[in-house]
Amino acid sequence: MVLVFLLTFGVFLAACGSSDEGEDTTGDSGEGSSNEEASGEENSDFSVAMVTDVGGVDDKSFNQSAWEGLQAFGEENGMSKGEGIDYAQSESDADYATNLNRLVRQDYDLIYGIGYLLQPAIAEVAEQYPDTNFALVDAVQEGDNIASIVFKEHQGSFLAGVAAAKKTTTNKVGFIGGVDGSLINKFEAGFVAGAKSVNADIEVEVEYAESFNDSQKGQAIASNMYSKDVDVIYHASGGTGNGVFAQAKDIKNSNPEENVWVIGVDRDQHEEGQIGDTNVTLTSMVKRVDIAVQNVSEQAMNGEFPGGEVLEFGLADDAISIADTNEEAMTDEITTAVEEWKEKIINGEVEVPSTREELESFIDAL
């Protein structure tokens, strides 16, 4: 009986010891997991990618600015292409949904659609994958897992029109758009309104290439405009605008005394206009897509993704501006005029039109 008692008591102690040890281990494991989350281990697993429109990631404009924003975000968080950040390039509209789906399968936490052309694809794919976050640039799409990022391009384009009207010596300026639609119409309306506000009699030639990736078409349109005494052209056409710069530089190379100018878009396109010691880029309407992409990525990584929200950026947010890189071309007179009109817009004294209908009413009221 004594032997049975001792054996039974030993088994009891062993069981108690095993139970206590298991409870301690579980407690340590839970605390460790909590600490790892608090120290940001989840952030180290965060990944973000973007899908370009047909302009491509090196369009020197809209897509490139977005990719630069992702690269800046990556540098701040120890990421690089293929290691936390990446992009998928679209060669045609048919690639949008395909690229989005591929990035979802690769488990990216946040996926950007760059450009309003991706709106239908974003709407479709985001609905299929409610646990993945998406951000759409330059269009609004409803969805709890979609953040819509838009800009007041018409405000910056108005200032571009002011600069063009102040610079022209022929009283003729031009606008070349990519695809004729509501977004690029904002650029057109703002530009015409700005130019007409400086000089109601100024002539503004407007033409669309119906493409964001046709530099030859852009060059042909620019050649036609310059031949008709247009001396300043503002383009809002993505990669098509590369042809506008090419034509201006060709003219300048052939006749250095002829003054032809290009106003860039989205990024500061000063480099695109460089010819030796001179430059045909008057200024650029800078839209900080890079900053918007970087900011939304940070929010998403920190668990604060603005799903279902519309984020709008304009002059008052310093997300829209006019570049002053070409100090020789952007004279003090032009810069002063641009700043004066900027203040009027920010203060609400001037309501810049964003559609052709609003532009017509604006011009009638001048």
Side-chain angles (χ1 to χ4, degrees):
M1 290 180 64
V2 172
L3 180 59
V4 171
F5 174 79
L6 290 175
L7 288 172
T8 303
F9 186 70
V11 170
F12 174 77
L13 289 177
C16 289
S18 175
S19 175
D20 291 343
E21 184 179 346
E23 288 174 3
D24 289 344
T25 301
T26 302
D28 289 343
S29 176
E31 183 179 357
S33 173
S34 176
N35 288 340
E36 284 170 359
E37 290 177 7
S39 65
E41 183 178 338
E42 287 185 347
N43 290 351
S44 67
D45 294 333
F46 182 82
S47 59
V48 55
M50 57 174 258
V51 176
T52 75
D53 69 7
V54 292
V57 77
D58 57 353
D59 63 354
K60 298 179 173 58
S61 184
F62 185 71
N63 292 283
Q64 185 169 333
S65 180
W67 176 235
E68 287 171 353
L70 268 193
Q71 287 177 304
F73 168 76
E75 288 175 8
E76 287 186 358
N77 294 281
M79 303 174 186
S80 59
K81 186 179 183 302
E83 298 290 337
I85 61 170
D86 210 341
Y87 68 84
Q89 188 143 309
S90 304
E91 304 300 330
S92 69
D93 292 358
D95 294 335
Y96 298 153
T98 301
N99 283 333
L100 288 168
N101 277 296
R102 177 166 63 82
L103 293 176
V104 170
R105 291 194 299 271
Q106 292 175 351
D107 292 327
Y108 281 95
D109 298 288
L110 172 60
I111 302 171
Y112 287 90
I114 307 302
Y116 73 93
L117 294 175
L118 278 87
Q119 182 174 4
I122 285 281
E124 174 188 341
V125 178
E127 185 176 6
Q128 294 172 352
Y129 299 99
D131 294 331
T132 301
N133 288 329
F134 297 85
L136 177 62
V137 178
D138 267 356
V140 175
Q141 177 60 49
E142 293 183 358
D144 292 339
N145 60 334
I146 304 173
S148 300
I149 301 170
V150 294
F151 296 85
K152 298 179 181 179
E153 297 94 347
H154 51 301
Q155 293 183 342
S157 297
F158 184 99
L159 301 182
V162 170
K166 285 289 188 178
K167 192 65 179 179
T168 181
T169 58
T170 63
N171 222 28
K172 294 181 180 180
V173 299
F175 173 82
I176 297 178
V179 176
D180 191 349
S182 59
L183 174 64
I184 307 303
N185 290 165
K186 289 169 68 178
F187 293 80
E188 174 194 337
F191 179 70
V192 176
K196 292 282 188 180
S197 292
V198 173
N199 180 359
D201 295 325
I202 199 168
E203 295 181 36
V204 185
E205 292 276 341
V206 175
E207 191 165 347
Y208 282 78
E210 292 305 330
S211 172
F212 290 109
N213 194 34
D214 190 342
S215 60
Q216 290 184 339
K217 185 71 175 292
Q219 185 163 4
I221 296 174
S223 176
N224 183 51
M225 284 189 178
Y226 286 132
S227 70
K228 295 191 294 185
D229 289 332
V230 167
D231 56 355
V232 183
I233 295 176
Y234 173 42
H235 92 89
S237 57
T240 298
N242 295 335
V244 181
F245 283 102
Q247 182 60 29
K249 290 194 284 188
D250 283 351
I251 292 173
K252 199 69 174 176
N253 277 324
S254 300
N255 184 4
E257 300 303 317
E258 188 167 355
N259 286 321
V260 290
W261 302 99
V262 182
I263 297 178
V265 73
D266 295 334
R267 298 170 68 249
D268 183 354
Q269 295 192 303
H270 185 262
E271 291 184 4
E272 276 49 74
Q274 195 69 45
I275 317 170
D277 295 331
T278 189
N279 197 302
V280 297
T281 304
L282 173 61
T283 183
S284 298
M285 196 286 284
V286 181
K287 183 167 74 170
R288 298 306 302 270
V289 181
D290 56 336
I291 296 298
V293 166
Q294 192 173 353
N295 287 347
V296 173
S297 298
E298 289 283 351
Q299 292 180 56
M301 186 179 69
N302 294 329
E304 301 171 352
F305 178 69
E309 296 182 24
V310 177
L311 312 175
E312 188 174 30
F313 301 88
L315 283 176
D317 309 300
D318 291 326
I320 295 287
S321 63
I322 290 293
D324 57 3
T325 314
N326 195 340
E327 296 179 358
E328 184 177 351
M330 287 287 285
T331 62
D332 290 341
E333 180 186 359
I334 297 175
T335 301
T336 299
V338 166
E339 286 299 318
E340 288 175 352
W341 283 103
K342 176 182 176 180
E343 287 303 313
K344 291 179 181 179
I345 294 171
I346 292 176
N347 293 337
E349 295 179 47
V350 174
E351 187 69 31
V352 181
S354 61
T355 67
R356 287 171 178 160
E357 291 75 16
E358 292 175 358
L359 174 62
E360 186 175 348
S361 299
F362 184 91
I363 293 175
D364 289 343
L366 289 175

